[in-house]
Amino acid sequence: MTTGEKIKRVRVFRGLTQRDLGLKLGYEERNADVRVAQYESGYRSPRKETLVKIASVLNFNHVHLTGLTPGCPEEICIAFLWLEEENKNVFHLFELEENPEHTSAPLEKAAILPYNTETPITQNPIGLWIDHDSINRFLKEWVLRKKQLKSNEISEAEYFEWKINWPNKRF
């Protein structure tokens, strides 16, 4: 979702018109709505200070517009949250519980909690099922590469090579 789309989504959620937001940002009455429309359409890119002010006026965290360090966990979480805004019901969360004795689900549908003696699990991890074809293809490929690395089918260098060249043309 683009910055402009995020601004529009929150503005509409807050019940403001483009004109209302523009006036609250201090733009002149004659062009307040035009300026906001330009931001929302992507015709103009607001400076960071303006993005912070927009977030303040709309009462939400400016990092959703200004970003964080690319690739940091919070940035990835924010990306997931906005992806869900674009694709409702794409994320399905569940808590994994260790239950070695019984599961009512058929084996092919049961979530399997991997046990790793090197890293004891101190809390139940959260599972994430994403109903999005391209993300699921990526996650399946990532699981495959991790398994290949663990079983020494590929080296650390080959694994890193896969990561830095993803996505490949077939994706």
Side-chain angles (χ1 to χ4, degrees):
M1 184 174 278
T2 68
T3 299
E5 291 168 333
K6 291 175 185 178
I7 292 168
K8 181 178 181 178
R9 175 70 179 96
V10 177
R11 176 185 58 75
V12 170
F13 175 73
R14 296 287 187 225
L16 297 175
T17 65
Q18 290 176 332
R19 180 182 179 82
D20 294 336
L21 178 56
L23 291 172
K24 288 178 182 273
L25 292 171
Y27 298 130
E28 293 180 17
E29 196 167 327
R30 64 182 169 87
N31 69 349
D33 56 342
V34 173
R35 197 68 174 266
V36 173
Q38 290 173 335
Y39 294 156
E40 290 180 356
S41 70
Y43 183 76
R44 288 183 93 154
S45 297
R47 291 181 296 199
K48 184 175 181 174
E49 304 82 46
T50 304
L51 292 171
V52 170
K53 190 171 182 181
I54 290 169
S56 176
V57 167
L58 293 174
N59 192 27
F60 74 106
N61 193 328
H62 70 85
V63 299
H64 287 263
L65 300 178
T66 59
L68 294 161
T69 304
C72 75
E74 295 82 4
E75 181 79 10
I76 294 165
C77 293
I78 287 171
F80 277 169
L81 294 174
W82 286 105
L83 179 60
E84 183 184 42
E85 278 303 304
E86 290 181 311
N87 302 280
K88 299 290 184 195
N89 299 317
V90 76
F91 291 103
H92 306 275
L93 303 171
F94 54 92
E95 189 170 2
L96 294 171
E97 296 180 18
E98 193 169 7
N99 187 357
E101 295 179 23
H102 179 59
T103 179
S104 59
L107 184 58
E108 66 272 10
K109 293 188 179 185
I112 299 169
L113 178 59
Y115 183 71
N116 182 346
T117 56
E118 298 163 11
T119 310
I121 297 172
T122 58
Q123 60 184 359
N124 289 349
I126 302 300
L128 173 63
W129 169 59
I130 304 171
D131 191 11
H132 193 278
D133 288 341
S134 61
I135 294 174
N136 279 332
R137 284 194 306 271
F138 162 72
L139 292 173
K140 284 181 181 182
E141 187 173 354
W142 194 9
V143 165
L144 172 65
R145 301 295 176 229
K146 295 283 280 183
K147 284 179 181 177
Q148 290 174 329
L149 178 64
K150 188 173 182 174
S151 67
N152 295 319
E153 292 176 55
I154 61 172
S155 66
E156 286 282 347
E158 290 169 315
Y159 178 64
F160 184 68
E161 189 68 43
W162 170 77
K163 289 197 297 187
I164 62 172
N165 284 296
W166 190 93
N168 57 26
K169 289 180 171 113
R170 68 182 174 85
F171 211 90

